[in-house]
Each structure stands twice: as structure tokens, then as C-alpha cells.
Amino acid sequence: MKLTYETRTLHTKHTFTISRGGASSWRVVTVTLTDEDGVFGIGEAAPSRFYGETPETVVAALEQFRPLLESIDPWCMETIEEEMHRALRGNSAAKSAASAALHDLAGKRLGLPVYRLWGLDPSRAPHSSFTIGVAPEPELRLKVREAADYPILKVKLGTDRDADILRVIREEAPDKVLRVDANAAWTARQALAMMDVLAEHRVEFVEQPLAPHDFRGLRFVRERATLPIIADESCVFLSDVARMADAVDGINIKLAKCGGLREAVKMIIAARANGLLVMMGCMIESSLGITAASHMAPLLDFADLDGAALLADDPYTGATIERGVIAIPREPGLGVTPSARVAGEPSARERRARAG
Ligand code: MG
């Protein structure tokens, strides 16, 4: 196989802000693996500084993986993920991009979409939420109105005006399912104090109320909580899953955290073995990154795969979440094609529409 990659900048429609800060431009690395017959697979790395990655560390990791990727049999996906984990700790966005490209390549060679390789029924995917980032009240109202088509909203909290944010969003969306994500910003005392507010606004669950390593605090809050607690920043790798079992009710898996499609499926199985609910989330990613995650959506209880829906300039066409419904591409591999505006040619969806 031949490894090539390219760094590109994505822009969100609005500045996307969570408890740790915000931005409106996001750099990702597109990875291409091409085999001897010229068949290629693509994947995306969406590095997060919170997990120690930048586009530069992704490129450095890919260079470290180059000898492995360019010499090994591309069908040995299990070995490749294992070898990448052995070679480098962390660097999960880089690893997941290579993993996605390998699965795309395998699916294309077999003429099957990736979900078929796993024996999944695409109609079993849960609806995806759409995220409302932290913003001043007028912008919050605008964002909720813009999200009119999405039946489930995930509300970013972890500010000094969380109750006000929820009230405003509930006013604008009286009937939608609301979920909240505190992104590790609360103390146990604040989390308990918020329980009544969350119940008043009929919030379905709360994601990562406390600091990532505060397992005791999570257990304390969970024992007193009136709604499920989902771990995100606390649960990064497969090895984290079992220890979350008595601290939370579920886990939020992300490819950019765990480092590969196979690792993610193992985390889902481990979560099930430990009686945990399973959610899958994302970073700000293009449809390339989101589509890789979407192929395992039939295995989830909750999906938060809106990273590309938040973009102003998605360079790819793939999985969509129109009205919250996750439409996983039926084409071989990941089923992702360059967007019309980037490639100067019609997208897959436009071609399908033209073909009737
Ligand atoms: Mg989260």
C-alpha cells in the first residue's frame, strides 16, 4: 500500500463553543491508502488538543506508521490496529484515520458497505442528536431555530448560567428530546444541584458532569442522580470500559479518542458485557470522519454524529443525519465521495438524484 495524506481546514457555520473554549476553524488530516491495483481507501483524523493531538502530531504519527502500512497485507486490519497501538500510545485520531481508510479499502475490494462486513442492519441505527454549543441568549435561540429539523438536541453546559441556557432552549424547543453535556466542568455538588433543573426540563441524560478522573465523584453523583450519567472524557480506550461499570450508566465512544473502528466495536462489546449504555459521538469532522462512525450506528443506544452537520464547508458527501435519521451510505466501503463544491463534480447524492 501507498500512504498519502493532506491537511485541510474545516469551518463551522457558527463558532462552536464548549466549557473549555471555542473555535470556528478546525484542521483535519485526510489519509489515503492505495493498494497495488490502484484501489484506495480514505479516512480522516480530527485531532483534539484535549487528547494531546494536533495536525502536526497526526502527520508525525502517520510517518511512524508508514513502514507498517506500506509493507503489511491490508486485509490484516486487526494486526494493523494492534501494531499501531503497540508502536504509539494515544495518537488516536491518526490511528482511526488509518483504520477508516483500511475498512474503506476492504469494503471497496469486496463491493460491500462497511456495515455489511459487520453483519449490521442499517435501519437499526438510532436517531442522531444535533449539538447546541454555548452561546449568548439571542444566538442560542437562533441556533435552536436553525436546528428545527432535528428531533434531539444535545446542549453544551458547564457555564455559570447553565439553568438559563436550558430554560431558553426548552422555551424554543418545548417538545424535543434534550440531552446535556457538561464537558467535565461541574463539581459533584454542582452536578447534584443541577439535577432538579435537568428534571424540570425533562433532560434525557447528562454527559460527563465531572472531571475525567473523578470516578469516586461520578459514582457519588450517579447514586443520587435521577437520570443516566454517560462518561465521555472519562472513557477513552477499551481498557477504560470495565472500570466505568459502577461509576456511570453508559459511555460515549469516539473514533478520534479510541483509535480505530475495530477498537470502537470492541468497546461496544465490552460496554454491553458490563451492562453499560452505548453512545457514539464525534469531534468537529467532515462527512468522511462521521461516515466511518456511522457504519457502526446500528450497534448504539444513542448517536451524536453531527460533526459534519455543523460545518459550512463539508468537503465530503457520505452519511447524513436529516431530521436526525442516520442514513448510512449503501455504496462499497465507507461510501464517501468528495463534495461537488470541492471536486467540481456532482456529489453521490446529486448523481443519484439525476439518475432518478
Ligand atoms: Mg461529550
Side-chain angles (χ1 to χ4, degrees):
M1 278 186 297
K2 178 79 190 149
L3 165 72
T4 51
Y5 50 79
E6 180 193 349
T7 301
R8 63 168 99 220
T9 304
L10 308 175
H11 300 90
T12 42
K13 290 172 194 157
H14 299 281
T15 299
F16 184 73
T17 305
I18 67 167
S19 64
R20 289 188 283 272
S24 55
S25 69
W26 310 75
R27 286 193 301 152
V28 296
V29 183
T30 312
V31 172
T32 305
L33 290 170
T34 309
D35 71 12
E36 288 98 54
D37 300 326
V39 182
F40 67 92
I42 51 176
E44 182 173 273
S48 162
R49 275 190 187 277
F50 184 77
Y51 296 105
E53 288 188 274
T54 62
E56 290 72 29
T57 67
V58 168
V59 166
L62 290 170
E63 284 304 331
Q64 192 162 339
F65 300 145
R66 183 186 291 280
L68 168 75
L69 294 171
E70 294 198 338
S71 63
I72 199 165
D73 175 353
W75 292 104
C76 299
M77 292 178 276
E78 193 69 28
T79 308
I80 297 170
E81 279 198 21
E82 217 178 278
E83 290 293 324
M84 288 193 296
H85 291 312
R86 194 166 305 160
L88 268 183
R89 261 189 70 78
N91 292 278
S92 294
K95 292 172 186 172
S96 71
S99 168
L102 286 164
H103 284 79
D104 188 33
L105 178 62
K108 283 172 176 165
R109 294 228 67 141
L110 292 169
L112 292 171
V114 170
Y115 67 80
R116 279 264 179 264
L117 307 183
W118 290 326
L120 302 180
D121 171 358
S123 72
R124 298 287 291 266
H127 283 47
S128 174
S129 52
F130 183 85
T131 304
I132 306 293
V134 174
E137 183 174 328
E139 197 183 324
L140 273 183
R141 291 189 187 276
L142 175 70
K143 284 179 169 182
V144 176
R145 283 173 206 163
E146 283 180 3
D149 278 349
Y150 295 95
I152 308 170
L153 299 181
K154 186 171 111 169
V155 182
K156 290 291 193 180
L157 295 181
T159 70
D160 53 8
R161 53 192 176 89
D162 286 347
D164 286 337
I165 290 175
L166 263 182
R167 177 185 50 77
V168 166
I169 289 178
R170 196 36 110 191
E171 273 174 25
E172 291 292 332
D175 302 318
K176 291 193 182 197
V177 174
L178 295 186
R179 300 165 179 173
V180 306
D181 186 355
N183 281 112
W186 293 340
T187 61
R189 186 188 290 252
Q190 283 173 313
L192 288 186
M194 277 300 289
M195 286 302 153
D196 287 344
V197 180
L198 301 180
E200 182 195 333
H201 294 296
R202 291 167 282 127
V203 170
E204 187 182 26
F205 64 70
V206 54
E207 206 182 308
Q208 198 65 43
L210 309 186
H213 300 293
D214 189 4
F215 292 168
R216 252 176 57 182
L218 283 171
R219 202 171 294 125
F220 176 84
V221 170
R222 185 207 184 190
E223 280 163 9
R224 290 156 184 82
T226 49
L227 74 180
I229 310 286
I230 308 288
D232 179 357
E233 287 88 336
S234 293
C235 187
V236 178
F237 303 111
L238 174 62
S239 53
D240 295 323
V241 177
R243 76 174 106 152
M244 301 312 305
D246 67 339
V248 295
D249 300 287
I251 60 166
N252 182 1
I253 300 167
K254 293 176 186 166
L255 294 179
K257 283 196 300 181
C258 74
L261 277 66
R262 310 186 84 76
E263 180 87 354
V265 171
K266 288 173 199 167
M267 288 180 79
I268 295 172
I269 295 165
R272 296 299 180 205
N274 283 280
L276 291 163
L277 293 164
V278 181
M279 171 178 180
M280 191 144 194
C282 60
M283 304 297 177
I284 300 292
E285 316 178 17
S286 80
S287 281
L288 173 53
I290 294 300
T291 303
S294 79
H295 281 271
M296 61 188 81
L299 292 169
L300 310 175
D301 298 302
F302 310 115
D304 181 34
L305 297 177
D306 64 343
L310 297 165
L311 294 180
D313 53 356
D314 189 352
Y316 288 97
T317 302
T320 56
I321 57 161
E322 272 165 51
R323 296 179 200 283
V325 176
I326 301 175
I328 311 171
R330 309 290 171 107
E331 289 82 9
L334 295 177
V336 172
T337 52
S339 290
R341 80 182 79 178
V342 172
E345 57 183 38
S347 67
R349 199 189 309 159
E350 286 164 335
R351 278 199 299 272
R352 278 198 295 272
R354 279 181 208 178

